Amino acid sequence: WAALGLAEDVCEAGEQAGALEPTAVQKAAAPGIVARRDAVVASHTGSGKTLAYLLPLVHNLRAAESAGAEAVERGEDPPTGAASRPKRPRALVLAPTRELAAQIGEVAKQV
């Protein structure tokens, strides 16, 4: 996971969620998402799609929070998109069914 550009705590979260090594779809999707590019992740059931986008998403959100907190500590305005305690949605994950949305939510809680 670290080779994909993810922070150590996010790598550990992925491992705790049962993904000890990234799958092919995770290796393909994660670097682009870490680089903040839009992504559509499509693959067969059980290939690891959910973690392919959730782990880089969490990595980016935590990095933005850290950047915001560090700027505030220095007495500066946080960079655009960075906030230590955001008061608005910061990410949107679309799912075609309520059941899949619930599954994604459960995985997101673990990460």
Side-chain angles (χ1 to χ4, degrees):
W1 288 107
L4 299 178
L6 300 176
E8 184 177 335
D9 61 332
V10 177
C11 295
E12 290 173 6
E15 292 170 1
Q16 289 175 357
L20 300 180
E21 294 292 327
T23 64
V25 70
Q26 292 163 343
K27 289 176 184 176
I33 298 169
V34 168
R36 300 182 185 277
R37 292 193 300 265
D38 292 339
V40 175
V41 181
S43 189
H44 64 280
T45 301
S47 62
K49 294 181 296 292
T50 303
L51 288 177
Y53 61 83
L54 279 183
L55 291 177
L57 178 63
V58 168
H59 167 86
N60 289 344
L61 293 173
R62 289 182 181 170
E65 289 173 3
S66 292
E70 290 170 6
V72 169
E73 285 178 13
R74 293 189 306 269
E76 302 169 0
D77 289 331
T80 302
S84 58
R85 292 186 182 225
K87 296 180 182 171
R88 59 181 168 71
R90 297 176 56 217
L92 175 65
V93 177
L94 300 176
T97 66
R98 181 183 305 223
E99 293 79 14
L100 184 55
Q103 290 174 358
I104 293 167
E106 289 303 314
V107 173
K109 288 176 188 175
Q110 295 174 7
V111 180

